[in-house]
Amino acid sequence: MSESMDKFEVKLDQAARAAWMAYVGGMTQDEIANQLGVSRPGVQRLLALARQEGLVKVHIDHPISTCMTLGSVLRDHFGLAYCDVVPADSQASESAAYYLAVAGAERMARLVERSEPLTLSLGTGRSVRAAVEALSRIERPQHRFVSLVGNVARDGSANRYDAVMLLADKTDGERFLLPAPVVAESLVEKETMLTQRLFKAIADVARESEAAFIGVGRIDRQATLFQDHFISESELDELLSLKAVGELLGWPLNDRGEVIDCSITRRVTSLPLERFVNHLMVAIAGGRDKAPAILAALRGGWLKGLITDETAARHIVDAITR
């Protein structure tokens, strides 16, 4: 063995000792320096060598480790800018909803905390509303927040899960609400709305937004669209007969993520999904029941970002890898 190789082997032994002390023994760099008789920068060099030579194999025994693996599979498979997966406790579904809200708030905060003027679009729903509730107050009167979904139900009641007003209140920003039902009563009613100056002005603001945070709706008997009186039972039956599995901004999707053409679709008042292909469209949604709808949104290529939980992520990964 050459002298230089011998020296390298000795150095590698020392690196292994330093790595064991740091990662298994939990010792500080000063303690390792004393044990090995080297300086603190020497310890840092040894730890760097141990990592570089593959001596350190990291195994993180924590739920977040699984979440990060699932997130990276989904991000790579669907070409997302990011995919955040939060832990889901099967015994406490409310904890997953809380983590989802916090993760959504963190992503929103990165945009909202900016000082240059921002136009941000929001869908409605419990997850989006909860994310805004988890956001800290910050003074940003230069920002504009615009609703992408009608905020009035068929009976005239306001959408209780609208998040634009709350976000504007938290930031003192400008607010733009879509003064319409999600689904108009008739084609004539929809066409009349679309020609209104107010409706056009809000659509223009939405087009200028650089990012959108939206919910994902399931299409089944528990569909929010139906439960919150945006569509009737016969309309829900029609969607189910056409194999709708989910909806984005009120637009029903089949399992391939294609917008279904039907009598309801023709009366949806939200801006068409095609308008947002160049936006950072981020969905906040989780849970087993939402998995088929989230998968449809991903397959359709509508999303650029996803914030979900481990339960939904696992079902989606299983579906794309079988």
Side-chain angles (χ1 to χ4, degrees), residues 83-314:
C83 178
D84 300 335
V85 179
V86 302
D89 182 349
S90 56
Q91 307 305 310
S93 56
E94 66 281 355
S95 69
Y98 170 75
Y99 290 138
L100 205 59
V102 169
E106 280 178 9
R107 287 292 181 179
M108 274 185 205
R110 293 183 197 189
L111 293 166
V112 173
E113 286 170 1
R114 280 180 0 194
S115 51
E116 60 268 27
L118 164 77
T119 300
L120 188 67
S121 296
L122 294 178
T124 61
R126 292 163 179 79
S127 297
V128 176
R129 170 88 187 185
V132 173
E133 284 171 357
L135 202 63
S136 302
R137 290 184 180 275
I138 185 167
E139 193 71 14
R140 288 292 183 270
Q142 65 271 39
H143 292 348
R144 301 189 299 174
F145 306 108
V146 56
S147 176
L148 294 176
V149 182
N151 66 330
V152 185
R154 286 273 175 84
D155 59 4
S157 60
N159 182 351
R160 75 189 109 153
Y161 298 113
D162 178 81
V164 166
M165 293 291 278
L166 181 60
L167 187 49
D169 285 343
K170 284 195 164 191
T171 57
D172 207 20
E174 285 190 79
R175 62 204 73 198
F176 297 84
L177 295 174
L178 204 58
V182 179
V183 181
E185 286 283 0
S186 65
L187 275 173
V188 174
E189 183 182 80
K190 176 181 172 173
E191 278 153 18
T192 305
M193 284 177 192
L194 294 185
T195 57
Q196 287 173 5
R197 189 189 59 76
L198 180 65
F199 209 92
K200 284 180 170 171
I202 288 164
D204 287 343
V205 174
R207 269 192 285 273
E208 288 169 24
S209 68
E210 64 182 83
F213 287 89
I214 66 168
V216 178
R218 52 199 274 204
I219 298 288
D220 55 22
R221 294 285 158 201
Q222 274 65 54
T224 308
L225 270 184
F226 171 58
Q227 297 285 342
D228 291 350
H229 311 295
F230 291 107
I231 62 171
S232 67
E233 190 159 12
S234 63
E235 288 169 332
L236 176 62
D237 289 339
E238 183 183 350
L239 290 176
L240 292 172
S241 72
L242 292 167
K243 303 283 193 291
V245 296
E247 51 89 7
L248 294 183
L249 307 177
W251 297 100
L253 305 175
N254 62 23
D255 62 3
R256 294 184 301 282
E258 300 158 340
V259 175
I260 294 168
D261 181 25
C262 63
S263 72
I264 297 149
T265 316
R266 292 175 210 130
R267 291 180 282 116
V268 170
T269 61
S270 313
L271 290 183
L273 292 174
E274 293 80 14
R275 297 260 180 96
F276 298 97
V277 286
N278 297 319
H279 287 57
L280 179 68
M281 177 87 88
V282 181
I284 308 175
R288 169 70 189 92
D289 296 330
K290 289 273 181 86
I294 300 166
L295 177 55
L298 289 166
R299 280 182 172 152
W302 303 114
L303 305 179
K304 299 279 196 310
L306 175 63
I307 300 162
T308 190
D309 64 18
E310 191 182 343
T311 307
R314 202 181 286 284

Side-chain angles (χ1 to χ4, degrees), residues 30-109:
D30 286 332
E31 287 168 340
I32 298 167
N34 287 335
Q35 287 279 330
L36 296 180
V38 296
S39 65
R40 188 182 169 126
V43 172
Q44 290 166 350
R45 285 193 293 273
L46 286 171
L47 293 175
L49 177 65
R51 286 193 295 271
Q52 184 186 312
E53 293 299 315
L55 303 183
V56 180
K57 304 279 193 293
V58 180
H59 172 71
I60 301 172
D61 188 15
H62 187 276
I64 213 73
S65 169
T66 307
C67 291
M68 292 188 75
T69 303
L70 291 167
S72 104
V73 170
L74 293 178
R75 188 188 65 231
D76 295 347
H77 186 86
F78 293 105
L80 302 173
Y82 59 80
C83 178
D84 300 335
V85 179
V86 302
D89 182 349
S90 56
Q91 307 305 310
S93 56
E94 66 281 355
S95 69
Y98 170 75
Y99 290 138
L100 205 59
V102 169
E106 280 178 9
R107 287 292 181 179
M108 274 185 205

